Amino acid sequence: MNRRIGVIGIVIEDPKHVSDKVNAVISDHGHIVLGRMGIPKPEYQAGVVSLIIEGTTDEIGSLTGRLGNIPGVTVKSALTSKMLGKEAQND
């Protein structure tokens, strides 16, 4: 199956109450996460996480969908239009 590489931006409102859920979802999809950076902003009761990912559109959709269903979490993604993998190289 073809894979894509990209970035997922996650904004978390009131991280004290939802950060455990966010981390659990990211851990469940750890096989597609290449890198992670998190910036806490406790003075604003917010946090921002960016993920560099490589996966199929189904895997990426599962991750973003589960994150987006957590109250107080906003998720945006940007993916390459070019497919990665052996099948894509033969095109």
Side-chain angles (χ1 to χ4, degrees):
M1 195 169 237
N2 288 325
R3 301 173 70 77
R4 295 177 187 260
I5 192 166
V7 63
I8 297 174
I10 307 163
V11 177
I12 305 167
E13 297 176 21
D14 201 11
K16 286 183 181 181
H17 293 101
V18 298
S19 62
D20 289 343
K21 293 177 186 175
V22 170
N23 287 326
V25 171
I26 294 171
S27 292
D28 288 346
H29 292 82
H31 62 283
I32 67 168
V33 177
L34 302 176
R36 173 183 175 156
M37 178 178 64
I39 306 294
K41 295 299 285 179
E43 65 271 23
Y44 300 121
Q45 296 178 345
V48 179
V49 176
S50 63
L51 302 174
I52 306 300
I53 47 92
E54 180 184 337
T56 66
T57 52
D58 288 345
E59 292 170 328
I60 296 166
S62 173
L63 172 57
T64 58
R66 286 185 57 198
L67 287 169
N69 283 329
I70 300 171
V73 175
T74 303
V75 181
K76 299 292 179 185
S77 62
L79 304 175
T80 58
S81 58
K82 182 178 178 177
M83 299 284 189
L84 306 174
K86 292 180 182 178
E87 297 88 6
Q89 292 173 359
N90 294 331
D91 292 343

